[in-house]
Amino acid sequence: MAAERAPAMDTLLLVFARAPRRGRVKTRLVPELGEDTALDVHQRLLDRTLREAAAFPGRARLMLDDHDDRLAAHAREIGLEVGLQHGGGLGERMNAALRDGLQEAPRVLLVGSDCPVLDQTYLALAVDGLNQARVVLGASEDGGYVLIGGSDASVWHDGRFEGVRLGTDYAMADTLVALNDVAPVTVLPPLWDVDIPEDVTRARNLGVLP
């Protein structure tokens, strides 16, 4: 009898990322650190996230907000699939990615590209969380979240993120309200991502950024 596959093998991991464009990424870093440093930080964090995605036991796909042939080629070289985000605002694009992904796999995890401490242990916790609930959220220390996942395509209907203030300190609280009808939701311990200059210093102190 064949050995039972680990749950993660049935999971699709999506990495949401902005194509690296000077002046368009990590804009909250620009006033203090400049556009070149902001771009470098973005690229380094994205590269780290893609390496983690490539090590994930299931399928993994880079989801870009715009075409970038060089980045797409690199992602494919390390074993990732590549796709484009579609929809209007971030909530609409996340919703579509989760819904569409669940047409391909029993579980879908969606992460950003700027969490310097996201690792395989945390991803495994998220997969396990979807064994307990239809939705999992990986909390962020700033009131947002670094991961969202689902195991039921019907959850991700149009308008699911309506009223959710993504990118703010209210993102997690708003999302839990928006998901009230699918409770319980598994919430994982908080990690942190790089948004402001102090986060860059923290990442450098950990050796994640040079």
Side-chain angles (χ1 to χ4, degrees), residues 125-168:
L125 281 176
V127 172
D128 186 62
L130 288 176
N131 293 328
Q132 318 302 323
R134 290 185 290 167
V135 177
V136 62
L137 287 166
S140 175
E141 293 177 0
D142 62 7
Y145 44 93
V146 301
L147 175 152
I148 186 169
S151 59
D152 181 352
S154 69
V155 167
W156 309 105
H157 56 72
D158 290 344
R160 171 57 77 185
F161 287 94
E162 186 174 351
V164 175
R165 291 166 286 183
L166 294 168
T168 75

Coordinates of all heavy atoms in Angstrom, one line a residue, residues 125-168:
L125 N 2.1 24.8 9.9 CA 1.0 25.2 10.9 C -0.2 25.7 10.1 O -1.4 25.4 10.5 CB 1.5 26.3 11.8 CG 2.4 26.0 13.0 CD1 2.8 27.3 13.7 CD2 1.7 25.0 13.9
A126 N 0.0 26.4 9.1 CA -1.2 26.9 8.3 C -1.9 25.8 7.6 O -3.2 25.7 7.6 CB -0.7 27.9 7.2
V127 N -1.2 24.8 7.1 CA -1.8 23.6 6.5 C -2.6 22.9 7.5 O -3.8 22.5 7.3 CB -0.8 22.7 5.8 CG1 -1.4 21.4 5.3 CG2 -0.1 23.4 4.6
D128 N -2.0 22.7 8.7 CA -2.7 22.0 9.8 C -4.0 22.8 10.2 O -5.0 22.2 10.5 CB -1.8 21.8 10.9 CG -2.4 20.9 12.0 OD1 -2.8 19.8 11.8 OD2 -2.6 21.5 13.2
G129 N -3.9 24.1 10.2 CA -5.0 24.9 10.5 C -6.2 24.7 9.6 O -7.3 24.8 10.1
L130 N -5.9 24.4 8.4 CA -7.0 24.1 7.4 C -7.6 22.7 7.6 O -8.7 22.4 7.0 CB -6.6 24.3 6.0 CG -6.3 25.8 5.6 CD1 -5.7 25.9 4.2 CD2 -7.6 26.6 5.7
N131 N -7.0 21.9 8.5 CA -7.7 20.7 8.8 C -8.7 20.9 9.9 O -9.5 20.0 10.2 CB -6.6 19.7 9.4 CG -5.7 19.2 8.3 OD1 -6.1 19.1 7.1 ND2 -4.4 18.9 8.6
Q132 N -8.6 22.1 10.6 CA -9.5 22.4 11.7 C -10.6 23.4 11.3 O -11.6 23.5 12.0 CB -8.7 23.0 12.9 CG -7.4 22.3 13.2 CD -7.5 20.8 13.5 OE1 -8.5 20.4 14.1 NE2 -6.6 20.0 13.0
A133 N -10.4 24.2 10.3 CA -11.3 25.2 9.9 C -11.2 25.5 8.4 O -10.2 25.1 7.7 CB -11.0 26.5 10.7
R134 N -12.2 26.1 7.8 CA -12.2 26.4 6.4 C -11.3 27.6 6.0 O -11.0 27.8 4.8 CB -13.6 26.7 5.9 CG -14.5 25.5 5.9 CD -15.9 25.8 5.3 NE -16.7 26.7 6.2 CZ -17.8 27.3 5.8 NH1 -18.2 27.2 4.5 NH2 -18.4 28.1 6.7
V135 N -10.9 28.4 7.0 CA -10.0 29.5 6.7 C -9.0 29.6 7.8 O -9.2 29.3 9.0 CB -10.9 30.9 6.8 CG1 -9.9 32.1 6.6 CG2 -11.9 30.8 5.7
V136 N -7.8 30.0 7.4 CA -6.7 30.2 8.3 C -6.1 31.6 8.0 O -6.0 32.0 6.9 CB -5.6 29.1 8.2 CG1 -4.9 29.1 6.8 CG2 -4.5 29.2 9.2
L137 N -5.7 32.2 9.1 CA -5.0 33.6 9.0 C -3.7 33.5 9.8 O -3.7 33.1 10.9 CB -5.9 34.7 9.5 CG -7.1 35.0 8.7 CD1 -8.1 35.9 9.5 CD2 -6.7 35.8 7.4
G138 N -2.7 34.0 9.2 CA -1.4 34.2 9.9 C -1.3 35.6 10.3 O -1.0 36.5 9.5
A139 N -1.4 35.8 11.6 CA -1.4 37.2 12.1 C -0.1 37.9 11.9 O 1.0 37.3 11.8 CB -1.8 37.2 13.6
S140 N -0.1 39.2 11.9 CA 1.0 40.1 11.8 C 1.0 41.0 13.1 O -0.1 41.4 13.6 CB 1.0 40.9 10.6 OG 2.1 41.9 10.6
E141 N 2.2 41.3 13.6 CA 2.3 42.1 14.8 C 1.6 43.5 14.6 O 1.3 44.1 15.6 CB 3.7 42.3 15.2 CG 4.4 41.0 15.7 CD 5.8 41.2 16.0 OE1 6.4 42.3 15.9 OE2 6.5 40.2 16.4
D142 N 1.5 44.0 13.4 CA 1.0 45.3 13.2 C -0.5 45.4 13.0 O -1.1 46.4 12.6 CB 1.7 46.0 12.0 CG 1.4 45.2 10.7 OD1 0.6 44.3 10.6 OD2 2.1 45.6 9.7
G143 N -1.2 44.3 13.2 CA -2.6 44.3 13.1 C -3.1 43.8 11.8 O -4.3 43.7 11.6
G144 N -2.2 43.4 10.9 CA -2.6 42.8 9.6 C -2.4 41.3 9.7 O -2.5 40.7 10.7
Y145 N -2.1 40.8 8.5 CA -1.7 39.3 8.5 C -0.8 39.1 7.3 O -0.7 39.8 6.3 CB -3.0 38.5 8.4 CG -4.0 38.9 7.4 CD1 -4.1 38.4 6.1 CD2 -5.1 39.7 7.8 CE1 -5.1 38.7 5.2 CE2 -6.1 40.1 6.9 CZ -6.1 39.6 5.6 OH -7.1 40.0 4.8
V146 N 0.0 38.0 7.5 CA 1.1 37.7 6.6 C 0.6 36.5 5.7 O 1.3 36.1 4.7 CB 2.4 37.3 7.3 CG1 2.9 38.5 8.1 CG2 2.3 36.1 8.2
L147 N -0.5 35.9 6.1 CA -0.9 34.7 5.3 C -2.4 34.6 5.5 O -3.0 34.9 6.5 CB -0.3 33.4 6.0 CG -0.6 32.0 5.5 CD1 0.6 31.1 5.6 CD2 -1.8 31.4 6.2
I148 N -3.1 34.1 4.4 CA -4.5 33.7 4.5 C -4.7 32.5 3.6 O -4.0 32.3 2.6 CB -5.4 34.9 4.0 CG1 -6.9 34.5 4.1 CG2 -5.1 35.3 2.5 CD1 -7.8 35.7 3.9
G149 N -5.5 31.6 4.1 CA -5.7 30.3 3.3 C -7.1 29.8 3.5 O -7.9 30.2 4.4
G150 N -7.5 28.9 2.6 CA -8.8 28.4 2.6 C -8.9 27.0 2.1 O -8.0 26.5 1.4
S151 N -10.0 26.3 2.4 CA -10.2 24.9 1.9 C -11.6 24.8 1.3 O -12.0 23.6 1.0 CB -10.0 23.9 3.0 OG -10.9 24.2 4.1
D152 N -12.3 25.9 1.1 CA -13.7 25.8 0.6 C -13.9 27.0 -0.4 O -14.0 28.1 0.1 CB -14.7 25.9 1.8 CG -16.1 25.8 1.3 OD1 -16.4 25.8 0.1 OD2 -17.0 25.7 2.2
A153 N -14.0 26.7 -1.7 CA -14.1 27.7 -2.7 C -15.4 28.6 -2.5 O -15.4 29.8 -2.8 CB -14.2 27.1 -4.1
S154 N -16.4 28.0 -1.9 CA -17.7 28.8 -1.7 C -17.5 30.0 -0.7 O -18.3 30.9 -0.8 CB -18.8 27.9 -1.2 OG -18.6 27.4 0.1
V155 N -16.5 29.9 0.1 CA -16.3 31.0 1.0 C -15.9 32.3 0.3 O -16.3 33.4 0.7 CB -15.1 30.7 2.0 CG1 -14.7 31.9 2.8 CG2 -15.6 29.6 3.0
W156 N -15.2 32.2 -0.8 CA -14.6 33.3 -1.5 C -15.5 33.9 -2.6 O -15.1 34.0 -3.7 CB -13.2 32.9 -2.0 CG -12.4 32.3 -0.9 CD1 -12.2 31.0 -0.8 CD2 -11.9 32.9 0.3 NE1 -11.5 30.7 0.4 CE2 -11.3 31.9 1.1 CE3 -11.9 34.3 0.7 CZ2 -10.7 32.2 2.3 CZ3 -11.2 34.5 1.9 CH2 -10.6 33.5 2.7
H157 N -16.7 34.3 -2.2 CA -17.6 34.9 -3.1 C -17.3 36.3 -3.4 O -16.5 37.0 -2.6 CB -19.0 34.7 -2.7 CG -19.3 35.3 -1.3 ND1 -19.3 36.7 -1.0 CD2 -19.5 34.7 -0.1 CE1 -19.6 36.9 0.2 NE2 -19.7 35.7 0.8
D158 N -17.8 36.9 -4.4 CA -17.6 38.3 -4.7 C -18.0 39.2 -3.5 O -19.0 39.0 -2.9 CB -18.3 38.7 -6.0 CG -17.8 38.1 -7.2 OD1 -16.6 37.6 -7.2 OD2 -18.5 38.1 -8.3
G159 N -17.1 40.1 -3.2 CA -17.4 41.1 -2.1 C -16.9 40.6 -0.8 O -17.2 41.3 0.2
R160 N -16.3 39.5 -0.7 CA -15.9 38.9 0.6 C -15.0 39.9 1.4 O -15.1 40.0 2.6 CB -15.1 37.6 0.4 CG -14.4 37.1 1.6 CD -15.4 36.8 2.8 NE -16.2 35.6 2.6 CZ -17.2 35.3 3.4 NH1 -17.6 36.0 4.4 NH2 -17.9 34.2 3.1
F161 N -14.1 40.7 0.7 CA -13.3 41.6 1.4 C -13.8 43.1 1.4 O -13.1 44.0 1.7 CB -11.9 41.6 0.7 CG -11.1 40.4 1.0 CD1 -11.1 39.3 0.2 CD2 -10.3 40.3 2.2 CE1 -10.4 38.2 0.4 CE2 -9.6 39.1 2.5 CZ -9.6 38.1 1.6
E162 N -15.1 43.2 1.0 CA -15.7 44.5 1.0 C -15.6 45.1 2.4 O -16.0 44.5 3.4 CB -17.1 44.5 0.5 CG -17.8 45.8 0.4 CD -19.2 45.7 -0.3 OE1 -19.5 44.6 -0.7 OE2 -19.8 46.8 -0.3
G163 N -15.1 46.3 2.6 CA -15.0 47.0 3.9 C -13.8 46.6 4.7 O -13.6 47.2 5.7
V164 N -13.0 45.7 4.1 CA -11.7 45.3 4.8 C -10.6 46.3 4.5 O -10.3 46.5 3.3 CB -11.3 43.9 4.5 CG1 -9.9 43.6 5.1 CG2 -12.3 42.9 4.9
R165 N -10.1 47.0 5.5 CA -9.0 48.0 5.3 C -7.7 47.3 5.2 O -6.9 47.4 6.2 CB -9.1 49.0 6.4 CG -10.4 49.9 6.3 CD -10.6 50.7 7.6 NE -11.1 49.8 8.6 CZ -11.4 50.3 9.9 NH1 -11.3 51.6 10.1 NH2 -11.9 49.5 10.8
L166 N -7.4 46.7 4.1 CA -6.1 46.0 3.9 C -5.0 47.0 3.9 O -5.1 48.1 3.4 CB -6.2 45.2 2.6 CG -7.1 44.0 2.5 CD1 -7.3 43.5 1.1 CD2 -6.7 42.9 3.5
G167 N -3.9 46.6 4.4 CA -2.7 47.5 4.4 C -2.7 48.4 5.6 O -1.9 49.4 5.7
T168 N -3.7 48.2 6.5 CA -3.8 49.1 7.7 C -3.7 48.2 9.0 O -3.7 47.0 8.9 CB -5.1 49.9 7.7 OG1 -6.2 49.0 8.1 CG2 -5.4 50.5 6.4

